[in-house]
Amino acid sequence: MSTLETAPEPALGAAEPTGLRPSQIKRAKSGKARKRPSILLWFAIAWMSIVLLGALLSLIAPGVFPHEYGKAFGDAKQKPFAAWPEFLGTDGLGRSHLTRLAFGARVSMIVALVSVVVGVVIGGLLGLVAAYFRGVTEMIIDLFSDALLAFPPLILLLALSSVYEPSQTSITAGLAVLTIPGFTRLTKASAIAQSNREYVTVAKAMGAGPGRIIFKELLPNTFPAVMSYSVIVMAVLIVAEGSLSFLGLSIPPPMPSWGGMINAAKDDLSLYPSQVFVPCGVLFLTVFSLNVIGDRLRAKFDVRDTKL
Amino acid sequence: MLRLLGRKLLALIPVLFLVTFATTALPDLVDGSPVAQMLGPGSTPQDLKDLEHEFGYDKSLPVRYVTWVGHALTGDLGESLKTRTPVMDGITERFPVTLELAVFALLMALIVAVPLGVWTAAKAGGRVDRVIGGLSSGLLSIPTFVSVFILVYFFANPNMMLAFKPTGWEYISVDFAKNIEFAFLPALALALAEIPQFQRLLRSDMLATLQEDFILTARSKGLSTSYVLFRHALRPSSFSLLTVSGLTLGRLIGGTVIVESYFAIPGLGQGMYQAINGKDIPVVQGTVVVIAIVYVLLNTLVDIGYSLIDPRVRAR
Amino acid sequence: MAEPKTTGSPTPDEPLLRATDLRVHLDTPRGLLKAVDGVSFSIERGETLGLVGESGSGKSMLVRSLMGICPSIADIHGSVRLDGRELVGVPRKEARTIWGNRIAMVFQDPMTSLNPVLRIDRQLTESMRLHLGMGKKEAGERAIELLTLVGIPEPVKRARQYPHQLSGGMRQRVTIAMALACDPDVLIADEATTALDVTVQRQILDLLQEIQAERGMGMILVSHDLGVVAGRTDQIAVMYAGRMVEHSPTADLFAHRRHRYTEALLGAVPRLDVPRDQRPRAIPGAPPDLVTLKSGCAFAARCTAADDLCREERPELGDELGAHRFACHHPVGEDVAAVEGVESGQPSLMKEATA
């Protein structure tokens, strides 16, 4: 959850060293050297494609997997890379890790994507409204986002799960609620920055109403910031859903989820570490890839001075 | 300074109201009656009504809220549905454990992250910086519930290295050494997620500071690099790190559920986890409210404290 | 205070500080930048060198390279000798025994050159404790002495304060006190008064001059303002685009300025004693980009007297230190045949320079 706050990079690479201020030259140098190899980015994109493919297949064509996710087909706790096509081994009940991980990807992806979309729509709308009207409207919207942010994120989810039976819908709804204040603040900040610019003043002077200004002028210009932030939020949401599954408070069995698979195998850690570390690795790679992609998008759109 | 304090505290009131109100409304979200599970088989609807009356769930939400606030102000957060003991007792017993874990984790994170942040800033763009930068973005992507396994597998595993106990707890007041032995791995698991963030934050602030003229002045005096880094550059670069540390402490207090339930540590998080599984609504409510209030208060304190540590701000 | 210096005894025939063909090259992402390109000069004890030029002319980089405090991408070539001892290329660790100890520096902006979170006394004493091995108490007492010396009232109280509690002029006095802490042989004031207002500027310059005379230090006064260095220096060097374009004893320079750039600089000095129509004139155009600099005189594009020769062949400065040296094909005071032809070609050149 902690990735919600990210350190802004200093303004690197902005200096054109025609003058001789040594500080500028140094800055220019570190800006050059900080370019990360893009192999990492390609790896991230490739991995996310695999995950999305797995999620998609399990959603529309579960038949392509050699075994069903709910049925045992062989020895329990098979090690990975021991057999083909079940190269990821089997779980404690002899079920296919490969299939279960693909279905877990489906859960993670659906939950994360839907929550982010809901968060972007609601949070973004609130942020734009707050930025356009300011005054009391802004105060009220800020108050609600402050109140939501007053709960440590996981605590809020846990409180909700104490009253609702966990299901894909309730988890998604809870996570969506969590993401709203972040998107509200982000869109508000970047929309306020935009609305002080010339073109918005011009639009206002030409008699454009609030709806037109919000949707035609402010919205498109907050898009890059929101998009790159969304990718990072997806990573956070996948971790959050995993945390809940790990505690057994997410989607109930037999539907597999990554966190749930980790939870089910946790007692086998010292004897069958692969039981735990295979789903852990998949989860880690997904979160890592999303962070890499999000970082790159953020660097590309240059959204570093937006305070969240 | 007092005006600032007053304004910050005033701004807290609406937030605290919403937080407490939302928590009071929690039982209304329950499908069915929150007390239904307390009844044995063969109980009558009248028994249910009686119980609801006893716990005050028959009243309307505003009435319940006012009553709750009145009780809460005297330190009464209601009774557990399971044990019929005051919720507050459980919280006062569990809170110090969680606090210790959070503080321990924060210290560990700072001890590792500060030298790394200084080092990477001093060597910005170099090999060390890139390697540590890569490692830290990797570390940033390891959720706590994964790092728990990594730590336990390597450091509390009879097949690998049995340096620490995998589960259990000893109170710090009983046996300090044992307490540390139990607390080390859970605190480290919590700290791991914070290290990359602290390191990145300090690095970027240090980079900005190192461009300052006074660093050039210090260097021109012939002071050694490490002296310039740690005695001249670190302090002016550490203000946002200190702020974030304060915020992190608040978040850690609310984020120990996973390590506490995995390592079987009797803290707030474990209490909450058990209460959720047992549908013990008053305990969930009480814990959530306490954590949220501590979190909000800490954030406000950090906000105020920020203006105290910087002599430039302090003077105004 | 008059402790014997640990580093070598002065060689009789060596000047206090001598730079020979000093070059500082920066490896920037855009290409090689010759920030300082072939500069030579020397200073004796008690002598002051004025270093003048526009911003970006390389004067700051030059004085920094004297000490070796340059960005890590900088390559320093040539030679700098302090009492006959070579400073270029010495290891960092050894160089640090010279920085702040034998050569000290006062920087441009007193608002930013003091550490905002450390008390004044801490910043004053650290170099004494490092270089002179003083104890905390001894250094503290000396810090008070130094603050008194630079004319700070209530030095005991001021020593316990933070920089932001002092005015700009006071802060610059503190940085001077800091530079003087180890009784250096050479004091470099890098635009030390530029950020201050005029009356304070004068006080600080007077203070520097006074202290220098008293201690017989060598001093380098860096400024973009010829007026600042006019009455306070023994020799003046004018820098342009990383090179010295004119270098001579002060009196001589003002009496017979030879380089067109010096002439233009003098024209830019505000003066009250001249008629209104002769008030300061800005030099047209901007300094050249040092990465893309081609052959020929770097000032040619902005010079009224430039001709084809100037654009093709770089004028050389001459090697004889102490004489009036200048690097110009058509120096002031000599008839310029091609003036008329140049006049008409000027606008396009200016465009080039500003583009």
Side-chain angles (χ1 to χ4, degrees):
Chain A
M1 316 240 96
S2 38
T3 29
L4 277 169
E5 297 142 19
T6 36
E9 283 290 308
L12 292 175
E16 268 285 294
T18 40
L20 288 176
R21 288 205 47 148
S23 56
Q24 290 180 339
I25 292 159
K26 197 160 189 188
R27 228 176 273 165
K29 186 203 177 196
S30 53
K32 180 184 168 193
R34 267 192 62 79
K35 260 191 189 158
R36 290 210 196 102
S38 61
I39 303 170
L40 212 58
L41 183 67
W42 285 115
F43 173 80
I45 292 173
W47 175 258
M48 283 317 295
S49 311
I50 295 173
V51 170
L52 284 172
L53 181 72
L56 210 64
L57 284 178
S58 58
L59 192 65
I60 55 173
V64 301
F65 295 103
H67 298 98
E68 279 175 48
Y69 70 80
K71 276 200 191 129
F73 74 91
D75 292 343
K77 299 173 189 175
Q78 286 177 26
K79 289 210 163 73
F81 305 114
W84 184 261
E86 292 298 336
F87 65 97
L88 289 177
T90 57
D91 75 354
L93 297 174
R95 297 176 298 192
S96 157
H97 259 157
L98 182 65
T99 318
R100 292 182 65 79
L101 283 169
F103 275 77
R106 173 176 132 181
V107 169
S108 290
M109 287 295 123
I110 291 178
V111 166
L113 274 173
V114 173
S115 313
V116 161
V117 169
V118 173
V120 166
V121 170
I122 298 181
L125 208 61
L126 287 174
L128 289 173
V129 166
Y132 184 82
F133 292 104
R134 310 297 295 265
V136 184
T137 320
E138 187 190 0
M139 247 174 63
I140 294 171
I141 290 176
D142 277 355
L143 181 62
F144 274 95
S145 32
D146 283 353
L148 266 179
L149 289 170
F151 297 99
L154 194 56
I155 294 294
L156 195 69
L157 283 178
L158 291 174
L160 287 178
S161 64
S162 71
V163 291
Y164 286 118
E165 279 310 317
S167 70
Q168 194 154 320
T169 323
S170 71
I171 300 297
T172 311
L175 289 173
V177 168
L178 272 189
T179 61
I180 291 174
F183 282 112
T184 305
R185 287 191 172 189
L186 178 69
T187 37
K188 195 186 97 181
S190 65
I192 286 178
Q194 297 292 335
S195 63
N196 295 331
R197 298 226 180 124
E198 201 65 19
Y199 65 91
V200 175
T201 324
V202 171
K204 270 187 193 169
M206 287 168 71
R212 198 191 145 74
I213 289 181
I214 290 178
F215 287 107
K216 293 268 163 155
E217 310 291 345
L218 297 183
L219 184 63
N221 289 294
T222 54
F223 188 70
V226 170
M227 196 172 81
S228 34
Y229 180 61
S230 302
V231 177
I232 304 235
V233 168
M234 273 185 66
V236 176
L237 289 176
I238 288 175
V239 172
E241 191 279 323
S243 305
L244 284 180
S245 306
F246 174 78
L247 292 170
L249 299 172
S250 186
I251 293 136
M255 188 64 183
S257 70
W258 293 342
M261 292 171 72
I262 297 169
N263 184 35
K266 67 182 171 192
D267 296 330
D268 288 329
L269 181 66
S270 53
L271 291 174
Y272 302 96
S274 67
Q275 291 288 307
V276 172
F277 288 127
V278 166
C280 277
V282 168
L283 188 111
F284 163 75
L285 286 175
T286 308
V287 173
F288 182 69
S289 300
L290 285 172
N291 280 336
V292 168
I293 296 170
D295 274 347
R296 184 48 64 102
L297 283 176
R298 196 154 46 169
K300 187 168 176 186
F301 294 123
D302 207 32
V303 272
R304 57 180 161 221
D305 49 357
T306 328
K307 265 210 118 149
L308 297 180
Chain B
M1 181 48 69
L2 272 177
R3 282 246 310 270
L4 176 79
L5 193 80
R7 217 173 51 225
K8 295 273 182 205
L9 291 178
L10 214 65
L12 269 184
I13 292 174
V15 171
L16 285 180
F17 167 74
L18 280 178
V19 166
T20 47
F21 192 79
T23 347
T24 323
L26 205 57
D28 290 321
L29 303 175
V30 180
D31 190 19
S33 172
V35 293
Q37 43 144 341
M38 294 175 73
L39 297 165
S43 56
T44 61
Q46 188 54 41
D47 295 341
L48 185 73
K49 276 220 165 80
D50 291 345
L51 260 182
E52 280 189 344
H53 180 72
E54 193 185 333
F55 282 91
Y57 288 132
D58 54 342
K59 306 215 177 58
S60 70
L61 181 57
V63 177
R64 263 182 17 234
Y65 181 67
V66 174
T67 329
W68 185 87
V69 170
H71 285 163
L73 287 177
T74 60
D76 175 12
L77 291 175
E79 247 176 39
S80 158
L81 300 183
K82 286 260 138 112
T83 59
R84 307 297 300 253
T85 52
V87 171
M88 200 61 188
D89 290 0
I91 289 176
T92 43
E93 194 185 304
R94 288 172 180 276
F95 187 75
V97 174
T98 298
L99 185 67
E100 186 209 328
L101 262 190
V103 171
F104 196 10
L106 183 66
L107 288 180
M108 266 196 227
L110 285 173
I111 286 170
V112 178
V114 168
L116 283 183
V118 172
W119 195 21
T120 48
K123 304 265 178 210
R127 188 173 295 165
V128 170
D129 181 34
R130 272 176 293 165
V131 168
I132 292 180
L135 284 179
S136 90
S137 57
L139 199 55
L140 202 59
S141 308
I142 302 182
T144 311
F145 61 89
V146 172
S147 51
V148 158
F149 287 114
I150 299 174
L151 291 177
V152 168
Y153 183 71
F154 286 105
F155 301 114
N157 182 345
N159 303 333
M160 299 293 283
M161 187 204 308
L162 196 56
F164 298 96
K165 303 238 164 55
T167 55
W169 187 252
E170 182 58 82
Y171 287 92
I172 195 164
S173 49
V174 178
D175 186 339
F176 181 74
K178 262 200 155 150
N179 169 267
I180 296 296
E181 200 185 334
F182 280 121
F184 188 85
L185 279 190
L188 184 59
L190 289 172
L192 280 182
E194 309 301 333
I195 289 170
Q197 309 209 44
F198 289 175
Q199 179 264 334
R200 287 178 165 199
L201 182 65
L202 185 61
R203 178 186 178 274
S204 76
D205 283 1
M206 278 287 279
L207 275 182
T209 306
L210 289 176
Q211 310 291 345
E212 297 274 358
D213 290 349
F214 63 80
I215 296 301
L216 199 63
T217 313
R219 286 182 58 211
S220 82
K221 288 194 225 170
L223 303 170
S224 71
T225 310
S226 61
Y227 188 93
V228 171
L229 285 175
F230 283 96
R231 308 301 291 272
H232 276 268
L234 181 56
R235 230 177 91 183
S237 316
S238 57
F239 297 131
S240 39
L241 180 64
L242 283 175
T243 318
V244 169
S245 307
L247 302 180
T248 302
L249 184 65
R251 224 186 39 227
L252 284 173
I253 290 174
T256 54
V257 185
I258 286 169
V259 294
E260 283 180 9
S261 63
Y262 184 75
F263 287 99
I265 297 168
L268 276 186
Q270 192 204 39
M272 172 131 176
Y273 179 59
Q274 289 168 352
I276 291 167
N277 279 331
K279 301 275 174 215
D280 196 343
I281 300 290
V283 175
V284 175
Q285 263 178 301
T287 316
V288 169
V289 148
V290 166
I291 288 177
I293 289 177
V294 168
Y295 189 60
V296 171
L297 282 179
L298 258 176
N299 287 5
T300 309
L301 281 180
V302 163
D303 229 14
I304 297 165
Y306 183 68
S307 49
L308 290 177
I309 47 176
D310 188 341
R312 284 165 296 186
V313 183
R314 193 167 55 196
R316 275 173 221 140
Chain C
M1 267 187 287
E3 278 178 68
K5 290 293 172 193
T6 46
T7 36
S9 57
T11 327
D13 55 335
E14 280 277 356
L16 173 63
L17 184 73
R18 171 182 221 137
T20 315
D21 195 24
L22 189 61
R23 280 164 290 140
V24 181
H25 293 177
L26 304 174
D27 182 18
T28 71
R30 295 172 53 236
L32 191 68
L33 192 157
K34 295 179 179 174
V36 176
D37 193 13
V39 167
S40 309
F41 66 87
S42 72
I43 319 175
E44 301 293 344
R45 268 170 210 286
E47 210 181 11
T48 305
L49 165 72
L51 206 54
V52 185
E54 286 170 287
S55 48
S57 63
K59 43 190 203 311
S60 281
M61 195 58 82
L62 169 60
V63 290
R64 278 168 205 191
S65 69
L66 291 177
M67 287 175 80
I69 301 186
C70 285
S72 51
I73 47 168
D75 254 334
I76 306 175
H77 309 276
S79 147
V80 176
R81 283 168 176 272
L82 179 69
D83 275 338
R85 185 178 157 207
E86 183 58 54
L87 298 185
V88 172
V90 300
R92 258 296 141 86
K93 206 169 170 194
E94 206 183 320
R96 283 201 205 101
T97 62
I98 294 173
W99 299 355
N101 186 20
R102 304 209 55 205
I103 305 181
M105 205 143 159
V106 179
F107 290 97
Q108 175 168 2
D109 189 353
M111 296 301 175
T112 56
S113 56
L114 288 171
N115 193 325
V117 299
L118 298 180
R119 292 180 204 276
I120 301 292
D121 55 355
R122 201 14 234 292
Q123 301 192 51
L124 267 170
T125 52
E126 57 190 7
S127 59
M128 294 186 269
R129 298 183 61 185
L130 173 75
H131 296 302
L132 309 179
M134 285 187 181
K136 197 170 185 176
K137 192 157 169 263
E138 195 187 352
E141 282 162 9
R142 172 124 164 86
I144 307 289
E145 273 172 45
L146 283 166
L147 288 176
T148 319
L149 176 76
V150 295
I152 286 187
E154 301 179 89
V156 181
K157 180 183 146 203
R158 293 300 185 188
R160 294 301 297 160
Q161 289 186 324
Y162 288 97
H164 63 84
Q165 291 165 296
L166 272 58
S167 69
M170 288 248 251
R171 285 194 222 180
Q172 197 59 305
R173 286 170 194 270
V174 170
T175 60
I176 291 171
M178 252 161 58
L180 293 174
C182 297
D183 214 2
D185 298 312
V186 179
L187 181 70
I188 300 172
D190 186 2
E191 300 259 13
T193 57
T194 309
L196 304 172
D197 59 48
V198 184
T199 46
V200 184
Q201 210 173 64
R202 204 193 168 85
Q203 290 168 7
I204 297 286
L205 286 167
D206 289 344
L207 174 71
L208 281 172
Q209 208 175 1
E210 208 176 286
I211 291 169
Q212 184 225 9
E214 210 170 90
R215 308 192 167 202
M217 294 182 300
M219 186 155 87
I220 300 180
L221 270 186
V222 180
S223 179
H224 60 273
D225 184 353
L226 261 176
V228 165
V229 298
R232 307 173 193 275
T233 51
D234 302 293
Q235 39 171 320
I236 288 185
V238 180
M239 297 277 296
Y240 188 78
R243 298 178 67 88
M244 268 189 190
V245 293
E246 187 159 10
H247 179 201
S248 99
T250 304
D252 207 27
L253 185 102
F254 280 95
H256 314 284
R257 49 185 180 263
R258 303 306 297 275
H259 198 278
R260 297 278 166 182
Y261 178 64
T262 318
E263 167 95 343
L265 267 186
L266 275 170
V269 175
R271 287 172 64 163
L272 290 173
D273 56 346
V274 293
R276 190 175 280 270
D277 57 328
Q278 289 174 28
R279 288 285 167 82
R281 298 179 306 275
I283 305 172
D289 183 340
L290 293 180
V291 174
T292 55
L293 196 61
K294 294 192 183 69
S295 60
C297 175
F299 188 59
R302 302 167 75 188
C303 180
T304 51
D307 59 12
D308 287 345
L309 176 66
C310 299
R311 284 185 280 278
E312 270 153 32
E313 190 182 307
R314 190 167 62 189
E316 293 301 328
L317 184 65
D319 298 327
E320 193 192 335
L321 291 183
H324 190 150
R325 307 188 292 158
F326 53 91
C328 186
H329 290 305
H330 307 296
V332 184
E334 276 170 34
D335 289 329
V336 181
V339 165
E340 226 170 308
V342 170
E343 213 80 276
S344 59
Q346 196 188 335
S348 66
L349 286 167
M350 273 178 59
K351 233 182 257 165
E352 213 169 88
T354 43

